[in-house]
Amino acid sequence: MMKVVETQVFIMGRRSELETAVARLSHAKHGIGCASGTDALLLPLKALNLKPGDEVITTPFHLLRDGRDDS
């Protein structure tokens, strides 16, 4: 993981470096890097092959950002 951070080869780099490191650290079989939080939410939903009428229950919490720096 530190090699990925130090070399910053995680955008348009070799596919497996970041994902492999994250999977290893999280004790997961696979790791998939996403461009955004929206992609990260959409990807597993697509993988479930949901059909019209299927129910998906999620958290009621959300975050809407308007681009201002509120720090």
Side-chain angles (χ1 to χ4, degrees):
M1 186 71 178
M2 288 309 298
K3 177 184 174 195
V4 173
V5 173
E6 290 168 0
T7 61
Q8 297 192 13
V9 179
F10 53 88
I11 298 174
M12 303 300 290
R14 287 185 292 238
R15 181 210 166 275
S16 64
E17 288 186 36
L18 178 62
E19 290 86 349
T20 301
V22 170
R24 188 179 310 112
L25 286 172
S26 61
H27 305 286
K29 190 173 184 178
H30 303 285
I32 300 174
C34 295
S36 69
T38 301
D39 288 348
L41 293 170
L42 186 59
L43 188 64
L45 290 174
K46 292 278 192 179
L48 290 171
N49 199 24
L50 298 171
K51 305 285 187 262
D54 288 348
E55 183 177 24
V56 176
I57 301 172
T58 65
T59 176
F61 301 114
H62 67 280
L63 173 66
L64 297 177
R65 299 293 301 173
D66 60 9
R68 292 182 297 172
D69 183 10
D70 296 329
S71 55

